[in-house]
Amino acid sequence: MTNQTKSQFIAVASITSELSAVMVVAKEISLAAANAKAIAFRAGDKAKGFQPITDFINELAKETIELVTNINIYALVLYRLTVDEYQKTVAYNKFELAAKMAEDAPYAKSMQEPVDHARLSMQDCQRQFKRDVSQLLGQLEAVMHHARAARVIAANSRIEASQAGEYLQSLQAVAESVDKAAHTIHDNVQRCRIALSIYRNS
Amino acid sequence: MKTTKIYEGSHQWIMFGRDEGKPNNVIDTNQYVVRTANRCLLLDPGGAELFAPMMAAVLHHAPVDQITDLFASHQDPDVISSLGLWDQALTNAKLHAPAIWEGFLRHYSCESIEYVAIPDNGGTIKLESVELQIIPAHYLHSSGNFHIYDPQAKILMSGDVGGAIEGPDAPVFVENFAAHVEKMRYWHQRWMPSNQAKRVWIERVRNLDIDILAPQHGRMFKGDDVKRFLDWFDALQVGIAV
């Protein structure tokens, strides 16, 4: 296995690992939203501005979970494609070697068709992999967008929390946890993007 | 890859082995090809690392599109881990292999090749006018195991039975049976698990008219050495690891 192939396997495998962490964090945001909603309800008029924000947070968490679920399915497809590409590359190299070893054989020319076919299959896989990586990067960008939106919401939450009197601390804690979660999601997804970007379709 | 024609009549049997490019840490194997006018059967085509030299060697005898059939005596990697490569090289081929190993062998990838599942009681492989018999050899050593008998050529391809671990320069036929015995004693005692299975197989094989007994490892037996081997194997206690 070449270093390039090893890196490709690692890059694809790392997406699943990074995204499972994102999923955990997105679920934490969802919980934080439910918690914030309960606090805002108890706070009544003092947290009036906070109530619609909790719905936004919850919606954002749900969408992130949905996106990550889809990306995980896509990452699995990408992993299978990597395996397929590896097998096709091995076959192409072995076929070429067989053709070379059989140079003086009476039926050497009959090996040309399998060699050509293996090369085309391998190149098809390589192109498909690049196309799929480009699409996956697009989906990861959507998750990043959600993370950025969550940070804006966290900033608004802090402002609204400051109006909430004795509930200030509880609501600020919610804002902090959303902000922290958004940071984690951003960082994890960014690592996925960096790992994959070298394979994108140029 | 050393090539030896072992039968030439209405069809041919060719033995391939003693591959000089083989990595030292993998066991040496014998591959056999049955060649008719327009078709070619590869018996125990070998491990993945052997694919290129084996394909190159076969191209001296047949074009790729006439390699129509593969046979795997059992599921071991030295027998058939090249399956995924043959599967990509051959567009119209069948793999004849034990039914009980189908789900296992497909791990090597078998998409374009048709898997012809051999039932426990064996069967036949028809290669143009040549009809080869599939002889059950279960538990010798694999639980689903077959050998191939050609009544015209009087050759029994005997898988691991008759095998021995040899050096790369070893002759392809046994020349001195008494001297050869020590090379195959441990092989049979340790790899073959069942004295009962051994007795049933010997009884079955003694009814066949065999000129050459062709194992997947080591040297082939011809003439009187075939009977010598059967007698020796009959007297041997196997399954010694328990």
Side-chain angles (χ1 to χ4, degrees), chain A residues 87-88 90-91 94-95 97-98 101-102 104-108 110-111 114 117, chain B residues 35 48-49 51-53 55-56 58-64 85 88-89 109:
Chain A
Q87 287 173 339
K88 295 249 161 39
V90 169
K94 297 262 186 192
F95 291 5
L97 179 61
M101 292 172 88
D104 59 339
Y107 299 106
S110 70
M111 196 59 207
H117 186 261
Chain B
R35 173 80 169 122
E49 76 292 332
F51 172 83
M55 173 64 104
V58 174
L59 291 176
H60 284 269
H61 303 274
V64 174
L85 294 162
Q88 291 183 65
S109 184

Side-chain angles (χ1 to χ4, degrees), chain B residues 135-137 140 147 156 161 194-208 210 213 226-236 238:
Chain B
I135 309 292
L140 294 173
H147 296 160
L156 177 69
V161 176
S194 162
N195 287 304
Q196 189 192 344
K198 184 196 68 167
R199 275 194 296 272
V200 169
W201 179 84
I202 289 172
E203 201 175 307
R204 187 176 288 138
V205 165
R206 281 199 197 277
N207 292 323
L208 305 175
I210 302 170
L213 189 131
V226 175
K227 186 180 178 302
R228 282 190 194 104
F229 171 75
L230 294 176
D231 291 344
W232 173 83
F233 192 34
D234 205 2
L236 190 73
V238 299

Side-chain angles (χ1 to χ4, degrees), chain B residues 146-163:
Chain B
F146 292 100
H147 296 160
I148 293 290
Y149 176 62
D150 181 343
Q152 260 180 274
K154 297 181 183 175
I155 296 173
L156 177 69
M157 187 277 183
S158 60
D160 282 315
V161 176

Side-chain angles (χ1 to χ4, degrees), chain A residues 6-171:
Chain A
K6 278 182 197 164
S7 309
Q8 196 168 313
F9 268 110
I10 292 165
V12 174
S14 70
I15 298 168
T16 313
S17 152
E18 296 284 0
L19 291 185
S20 68
V22 169
M23 191 69 108
V24 170
V25 172
K27 283 175 182 165
E28 280 170 14
I29 296 182
S30 188
L31 269 176
N35 190 29
K37 199 169 179 126
I39 296 168
F41 182 75
R42 281 203 301 277
D45 284 348
K46 288 177 186 168
K48 213 171 179 180
F50 206 93
Q51 282 170 9
I53 291 175
T54 60
D55 291 334
F56 269 122
I57 299 171
N58 192 35
E59 199 59 33
L60 208 60
K62 268 191 191 169
E63 282 176 13
T64 305
I65 290 167
E66 203 175 309
L67 263 172
V68 171
T69 305
N70 287 338
I71 293 173
N72 264 330
I73 295 167
Y74 214 84
L76 192 63
V77 171
L78 207 60
Y79 180 76
R80 286 188 185 135
L81 195 59
T82 305
V83 173
D84 204 23
E85 186 192 324
Y86 169 66
Q87 287 173 339
K88 295 249 161 39
T89 306
V90 169
Y92 171 64
N93 291 335
K94 297 262 186 192
F95 291 5
E96 272 220 318
L97 179 61
K100 198 176 167 191
M101 292 172 88
E103 263 171 1
D104 59 339
Y107 299 106
K109 280 187 181 163
S110 70
M111 196 59 207
Q112 197 54 50
E113 197 179 321
V115 169
D116 291 344
H117 186 261
R119 185 178 53 245
L120 289 175
S121 293
M122 178 185 72
Q123 288 168 344
D124 270 353
C125 272
Q126 287 166 344
R127 274 193 291 272
Q128 182 67 40
F129 184 80
K130 284 184 176 178
R131 271 199 297 272
D132 285 1
V133 162
S134 291
Q135 286 186 25
L136 191 59
L137 283 167
Q139 289 181 313
L140 289 169
E141 175 55 38
V143 180
M144 295 277 276
H145 182 74
H146 277 63
R148 283 194 287 270
R151 295 203 66 194
V152 172
I153 290 172
N156 286 340
S157 302
R158 278 196 204 94
I159 296 164
E160 291 299 333
S162 65
Q163 315 292 315
E166 71 265 35
Y167 295 98
L168 182 140
Q169 275 194 331
S170 309
L171 291 175

